[in-house]
Amino acid sequence: MRVRLEDVARAASVSPKTVSRVLNDEANVSDDTRQRVLAAMQAMDYRPHPSARSLAGHRSFLVAMLYDNNDNPASTYLAEIQDGVLEACDEHRYSMMVRPLRMRSGDFIRRLDALIADHHPDGVVLTPPITDYAPLLKRLREAGVPHASVSPAHRGKGIIGVRMDEQQAARAIVEHLLALGHRRIAHVVGIADHGASRWRLAGYREALAAAGIAEDPVLVVQGAFTFGSGVEAARKLFALKKRPTAVFAANDDMAAGVMWAAGEYGIKVPHDLSVCGFDDIPLARQLWPALTTVRQPAREMGKLAALQLLEVVRDRSPGRLAQVGFSLEVRDSTARVP
Amino acid sequence: MRVRLEDVARAASVSPKTVSRVLNDEANVSDDTRQRVLAAMQAMDYRPHPSARSLAGHRSFLVAMLYDNNDNPASTYLAEIQDGVLEACDEHRYSMMVRPLRMRSGDFIRRLDALIADHHPDGVVLTPPITDYAPLLKRLREAGVPHASVSPAHRGKGIIGVRMDEQQAARAIVEHLLALGHRRIAHVVGIADHGASRWRLAGYREALAAAGIAEDPVLVVQGAFTFGSGVEAARKLFALKKRPTAVFAANDDMAAGVMWAAGEYGIKVPHDLSVCGFDDIPLARQLWPALTTVRQPAREMGKLAALQLLEVVRDRSPGRLAQVGFSLEVRDSTARVP
DNA sequence: TTGAAAGCGCTAACAT
DNA sequence: ATGTTAGCGCTTTCAA
């Protein structure tokens, strides 16, 4: 049969409440008692019943991860974040549930309310692009549900989660191209209202400006974070009288599209054209030539965001916006200007 | 404050137990009473407390979806399945939790036991390739946890879930190539011990045999379901003295790799070479030329598997292995033999 | 067909 | 530092 808290109490010769204290890391337990209780738990392989804990303790031990399954970034990115969040939840014995939500759908808030009413998550992790959807944030605040964001565009105080300096990273990768002698560097932009698109574009501009190069508007083309949009953007660039010698795409999927299109035009990468991306998805290493890109540690970011959240949930700490570093993955798709 | 079952009972002038009966669709409630109770629930926007239900009723209203995050198929495939499972769970007011498990890892079973002991899922959905991992199935049976599989390789009785006739689908797509006049048709195989790889290879062979074409072993090359492995497989094929005129890759990622490699070799698709894949991932439509492939309705399969599972869980029905149809998506990457 | 009482396994609030 | 009591919101068992 199931081992209950009461059984542990009896085995350790203490009251149930004391076992409960140990279980919840509360103060006011002598070290000696604590050890005895822990030993008994271990020996009996005690597993607290989450529903009982939740019912009596008015908390759910549940973290919900919200994502937009309509207008979302590459699913590999989300999957990595999900794994990271899950890892953090596991470590703290929280469970995680995932909720796809459609930002553009009219019942967004109703569905959010249903989630809260039905499951009472102790906290919520937000992923791009819904990290910055004002009605969502407002509703969460009203409902008193703590939330942490992965790569929020907003930087207001009270925002907790994880960010990466994407602008700095974008600048770094463009500087890598500049160092190779490139001067006509194109940029394929991501979906317009995503923070990621803005930061990466800003980094591109910053690098050019710092090098004293005037931006040529025809070299900045709109994409949509998909492979196909990368192909299309590249075709526009290749149709120019004066083609770029390098392309910085705002993510790897689009960079792959650019390389694909280069193949169509008989343009050799990296000999005739350097291409680089952003994110370092698994595909980046599989392309040929392997893609030079910025590594964004999505899994780690998911984990860190969840850890920030759990700190707030458990210790009522104020929480903070952590920052993770990036790294330049210089591979074979970039070379000296022809 | 929270609306409780007792409040609904008072409003409907019945006992709490009767409300509970209505909530759980039990028999022995007069139609009249049932209507009154349902109306009261609606009016008060009653939301049963899952933990209370779970604690008293000895069930968790929880479905766990297990996947292998090491040796897994494309994450877009898993993400689609996940969305489908979630949809089914939502409809039945079950919650879903996801669990990455590493088949090759030594503590697989220990982690599974922990999942069961900690969360008591009422049922489990298995995704390829762990649908056929014997120790897992054995443990689930021992623990009495019902489980449904998406595309199980095994067909024993008692297996519930969803399948697609992949062999038939593979045969159909190869027949499409044959109809275009191709005779030297290559096949890029997936990871060896995945059911998907075997079925697709079998379908390929069946189609050739039916057309009276002897299989040429050099045209069957090993891949690993990744883009990169498709590139490598294609290079081997293109190095042959007598190249194939068509390639059927066991999934879309590898097919994309084949097309990529074709670009390197100056081979025009579909003019010089027809290429087709399997799965119909989003990328298939974005490639240029758009990829001819078999549509596997992953989302629907996830949903159906979960529905089968829930039927078993809720009605103690025996459950069955449902089957979904496939469709050939003939696009621009296949053409008449040169 | 309906209801009353007991209790699921744990924690809050209050003792001591 | 530890224990006692009551009760979280629902379902079970049993009776009417």
Side-chain angles (χ1 to χ4, degrees):
Chain A
M1 268 322 298
R2 179 176 196 88
V3 178
R4 289 156 311 153
L5 181 140
E6 194 193 326
D7 305 320
V8 176
R10 199 167 314 118
S13 313
V14 294
S15 76
K17 176 69 222 190
T18 298
V19 177
S20 171
R21 285 197 179 93
V22 173
L23 187 61
N24 294 292
D25 276 321
E26 283 173 32
N28 292 331
V29 182
S30 77
D31 244 16
D32 181 49
T33 313
R34 187 181 299 274
Q35 291 314 321
R36 263 210 335 283
V37 171
L38 285 173
M41 284 179 169
Q42 189 98 45
M44 310 174 81
D45 190 28
Y46 168 65
R47 312 275 188 161
H49 194 299
S51 298
R53 290 229 289 167
S54 154
L55 183 58
H58 304 280
R59 38 199 188 141
S60 59
F61 299 97
L62 210 205
V63 167
M65 172 177 146
L66 271 38
Y67 64 95
D68 188 314
N69 65 343
N70 183 57
D71 192 22
N72 66 4
S75 66
T76 130
Y77 173 70
L78 274 182
E80 273 191 68
I81 291 181
Q82 179 176 304
D83 274 5
V85 171
L86 203 46
E87 203 178 306
C89 289
D90 270 2
E91 282 177 11
H92 291 265
R93 304 197 142 247
Y94 270 64
S95 52
M96 182 195 77
M97 96 184 298
V98 291
R99 294 311 289 186
L101 249 31
R102 287 166 203 274
M103 213 161 66
R104 305 198 190 293
S105 127
D107 64 350
F108 186 100
I109 293 299
R110 213 170 43 66
R111 306 235 319 152
L112 176 68
D113 284 337
L115 164 67
I116 296 174
D118 287 338
H119 301 282
H120 307 284
D122 289 338
V124 160
V125 173
L126 269 26
T127 59
I130 53 175
T131 44
D132 304 290
Y133 185 51
L136 166 65
L137 299 175
K138 178 159 165 287
R139 196 75 198 79
L140 287 174
R141 226 172 292 118
E142 285 167 3
V145 180
H147 47 281
S149 301
V150 174
S151 293
H154 247 47
R155 290 273 202 296
K157 63 172 160 45
I159 297 282
I160 72 172
V162 196
R163 62 180 297 262
M164 196 187 97
D165 195 331
E166 300 196 20
Q167 181 167 342
Q168 196 62 37
R171 175 172 176 167
I173 203 162
V174 174
E175 281 171 346
H176 159 71
L177 294 172
L178 289 166
L180 290 170
H182 294 277
R183 288 297 173 271
R184 283 189 69 71
I185 302 173
H187 180 50
V188 184
V189 186
I191 296 178
D193 57 345
H194 285 216
S197 308
R198 292 209 307 275
W199 296 321
R200 295 168 197 186
L201 175 58
Y204 163 79
R205 288 186 164 146
E206 202 176 276
L208 291 192
I213 298 177
E215 181 183 328
D216 183 345
V218 301
L219 293 184
V220 176
V221 288
Q222 187 65 46
F225 282 138
T226 63
F227 177 90
S229 71
V231 174
E232 284 172 32
R235 288 190 186 138
K236 280 181 204 147
L237 291 171
F238 298 155
L240 295 175
K241 281 142 300 185
K242 276 190 69 178
R243 288 181 184 170
T245 63
V247 180
F248 163 45
N251 77 347
D252 289 348
D253 282 308
M254 294 196 295
V258 171
M259 286 173 71
W260 186 279
E264 287 172 29
Y265 280 74
I267 297 171
K268 296 287 178 212
V269 176
H271 184 267
D272 306 328
L273 180 78
S274 286
V275 177
C276 57
F278 203 108
D279 283 348
D280 199 21
I281 62 177
L283 178 65
R285 236 155 316 169
Q286 298 181 12
L287 292 175
W288 194 89
L291 185 67
T292 292
T293 189
V294 171
R295 166 147 186 70
Q296 182 169 27
R299 185 198 173 81
E300 187 192 339
M301 291 177 77
K303 179 166 181 178
L304 226 51
L307 289 176
Q308 299 301 321
L309 177 67
L310 288 172
E311 227 171 72
V312 174
V313 167
R314 292 161 52 109
D315 313 335
R316 310 199 163 291
S317 88
R320 64 196 187 86
L321 186 60
Q323 176 151 345
V324 296
F326 60 85
S327 63
L328 225 57
E329 301 292 331
V330 176
R331 298 205 265 248
D332 312 319
S333 65
T334 47
R336 285 209 63 80
V337 66
Chain B
M1 267 322 296
R2 181 178 193 86
V3 178
R4 288 155 314 153
L5 182 140
E6 195 194 325
D7 304 320
V8 175
R10 199 168 313 119
S13 314
V14 293
S15 76
K17 175 68 226 191
T18 298
V19 178
S20 171
R21 286 197 178 92
V22 172
L23 188 60
N24 294 293
D25 275 321
E26 283 173 32
N28 292 331
V29 182
S30 77
D31 245 16
D32 181 48
T33 313
R34 187 181 298 277
Q35 292 314 321
R36 266 214 329 285
V37 171
L38 286 173
M41 284 178 169
Q42 189 97 47
M44 309 174 81
D45 190 28
Y46 170 64
R47 312 274 188 162
H49 195 298
S51 297
R53 284 215 313 157
S54 155
L55 181 58
H58 304 283
R59 31 191 195 152
S60 59
F61 300 96
L62 211 205
V63 167
M65 172 177 148
L66 270 39
Y67 63 96
D68 189 314
N69 65 343
N70 183 54
D71 192 22
N72 66 3
S75 66
T76 130
Y77 173 69
L78 275 182
E80 274 191 67
I81 291 180
Q82 179 176 304
D83 274 5
V85 172
L86 203 46
E87 202 177 306
C89 290
D90 269 2
E91 282 177 10
H92 290 266
R93 305 198 141 246
Y94 271 64
S95 51
M96 183 196 76
M97 93 184 300
V98 292
R99 294 312 288 186
L101 248 32
R102 286 166 204 274
M103 213 162 66
R104 307 199 188 291
S105 128
D107 63 350
F108 186 99
I109 293 299
R110 212 171 42 66
R111 305 235 320 152
L112 176 67
D113 283 337
L115 164 67
I116 295 173
D118 288 339
H119 301 283
H120 306 284
D122 289 338
V124 160
V125 173
L126 269 26
T127 59
I130 53 175
T131 44
D132 304 289
Y133 186 51
L136 166 66
L137 299 174
K138 177 159 166 288
R139 198 73 198 81
L140 287 175
R141 225 173 293 118
E142 285 167 2
V145 180
H147 48 280
S149 301
V150 174
S151 293
H154 247 47
R155 291 275 203 298
K157 63 170 160 48
I159 297 283
I160 71 172
V162 196
R163 61 179 296 262
M164 196 186 97
D165 195 331
E166 300 195 20
Q167 181 167 340
Q168 196 62 37
R171 176 173 175 165
I173 203 161
V174 174
E175 282 172 347
H176 160 70
L177 294 173
L178 289 165
L180 291 170
H182 294 278
R183 288 297 173 270
R184 281 190 70 72
I185 302 174
H187 180 49
V188 184
V189 186
I191 296 178
D193 56 345
H194 285 216
S197 309
R198 292 209 307 276
W199 296 321
R200 295 167 198 187
L201 174 58
Y204 162 79
R205 288 184 164 147
E206 204 176 273
L208 290 192
I213 299 176
E215 181 182 328
D216 183 345
V218 300
L219 293 184
V220 176
V221 288
Q222 187 65 48
F225 283 138
T226 62
F227 177 91
S229 72
V231 173
E232 283 172 33
R235 288 189 187 139
K236 281 181 203 146
L237 291 171
F238 298 155
L240 294 176
K241 281 143 298 186
K242 275 189 70 178
R243 288 180 183 170
T245 64
V247 180
F248 164 44
N251 76 348
D252 289 348
D253 281 308
M254 294 195 295
V258 171
M259 287 173 71
W260 185 280
E264 289 172 29
Y265 280 75
I267 298 171
K268 295 289 177 212
V269 176
H271 184 267
D272 306 328
L273 180 79
S274 286
V275 177
C276 57
F278 202 108
D279 284 347
D280 197 22
I281 62 177
L283 177 65
R285 237 155 315 171
Q286 297 181 12
L287 292 176
W288 195 90
L291 185 67
T292 292
T293 190
V294 171
R295 165 144 187 72
Q296 181 168 28
R299 185 197 174 81
E300 187 192 339
M301 291 177 77
K303 179 165 181 179
L304 226 50
L307 289 176
Q308 300 299 321
L309 177 67
L310 289 172
E311 227 172 71
V312 173
V313 167
R314 294 162 51 110
D315 313 336
R316 308 198 162 292
S317 89
R320 63 196 189 84
L321 187 59
Q323 177 151 345
V324 295
F326 59 86
S327 62
L328 225 57
E329 301 292 332
V330 176
R331 298 204 264 249
D332 312 319
S333 65
T334 48
R336 284 208 64 78
V337 66

